[in-house]
Amino acid sequence: WYQGESNIDSPHHYADYLTALAESWRQQFGRKVPFVIVQLPAYKDHHYFPLETGWTRIRHEQYIAAQRIPNAALVPLLDTGESNDIHPQDKQIVGHRVAMQMKHLAYGEQMPFAQGPRPYSACIRDGKIWLRFIPESGTLIARTPLQGFCICAGGTYQWTKAQIVGPHTIILDLPANTKATAIRYAWDDFPLPSLYNTDGLPAPQFEINVR
């Protein structure tokens, strides 16, 4: 499923629509066919402050749907796309990543790192935020200096520094007297992704609550 561009004006129930679509098709096919969702690529402008747009919200809804739908997967494309063309020119990377997912979902090939890094918990300890990733999504690496992380404090998002401290762990700075409630990564129309796994697959745009 490589769509979503037409829904940016009303994005907030897109995960529900995708879930219903997958369920409907599976009922008609009579089997639980694999369902691969391609997350929207980079498009329009890069911003130097955290923001919310219809484009970023659709990506988040796609992320939610991929976790909600059984036998489904998400293909992130944050590192592809053009600012002036809604259709990325590099179709080969899209096809390659979708094929990796289908090899695993449809044919049972053991490709545990096919989706790229996926977070599963965030907590505050010793004045820092510890963000942990699913080990089965691969070992973390930064292709460029780690960037694109912001924290929500008091309903406002602000950039923060991040550092990889283990194969599956990142530590984020937490300003003094700040109570963070959530973390966002690559939350921009045209982000500058830096977080990958050692198989060369990028982390998707994501949001996770801090506990």
Side-chain angles (χ1 to χ4, degrees):
W1 182 257
Y2 190 4
Q3 299 293 327
E5 299 89 342
S6 299
N7 296 80
I8 60 174
D9 292 333
S10 55
H12 288 280
H13 297 288
Y14 194 70
D16 296 332
Y17 301 154
L18 275 182
T19 302
L21 177 69
E23 291 175 351
S24 173
W25 281 358
R26 286 171 173 176
Q27 288 177 1
Q28 295 181 63
F29 293 149
R31 57 191 294 262
K32 192 177 290 185
V33 294
F35 197 79
V36 174
I37 301 167
V38 180
Q39 199 176 41
L40 290 184
Y43 179 53
K44 297 184 179 178
D45 298 321
H46 174 69
H47 301 84
Y48 294 93
F49 51 88
L51 83 165
E52 173 89 1
T53 68
W55 200 262
T56 60
R57 177 52 54 177
I58 285 290
R59 281 205 203 107
H60 184 56
E61 294 284 315
Q62 292 171 325
Y63 180 80
I64 293 172
Q67 297 179 84
R68 182 185 296 173
I69 301 169
N71 200 33
L74 183 73
V75 170
L77 293 182
L78 299 180
D79 54 348
T80 67
E82 286 73 44
S83 61
N84 60 350
D85 191 343
I86 200 169
H87 300 290
Q89 297 177 16
D90 189 350
K91 298 296 192 294
Q92 184 173 359
I93 195 170
V94 182
H96 174 68
R97 290 176 182 175
V98 171
M100 290 180 68
Q101 302 292 359
M102 280 299 181
K103 283 182 177 181
H104 178 62
L105 294 177
Y107 300 104
E109 294 190 22
Q110 296 304 309
M111 307 182 73
F113 304 151
Q115 292 196 62
R118 292 294 188 277
Y120 75 89
S121 73
C123 65
I124 298 174
R125 193 177 78 195
D126 300 327
K128 302 279 188 178
I129 301 176
W130 291 69
L131 178 60
R132 292 184 170 85
F133 290 75
I134 300 170
E136 290 77 15
S137 63
T139 299
L140 304 178
I141 61 169
R143 281 196 170 178
T144 62
L146 208 55
Q147 60 182 322
F149 289 89
C150 60
I151 59 174
C152 180
T156 301
Y157 283 88
Q158 56 184 292
W159 299 119
T160 190
K161 293 182 179 179
Q163 178 184 4
I164 297 174
V165 296
H168 316 296
T169 305
I170 290 175
I171 290 181
L172 289 79
D173 285 352
L174 182 63
N177 302 316
T178 299
K179 180 173 175 57
T181 57
I183 299 168
R184 284 179 172 178
Y185 169 70
W187 209 276
D188 191 9
D189 292 338
F190 202 105
L192 303 176
S194 56
L195 182 61
Y196 287 74
N197 65 18
T198 49
D199 282 358
L201 294 171
Q205 176 195 299
F206 65 77
E207 180 178 59
I208 186 170
N209 292 330
V210 177
R211 304 189 185 280

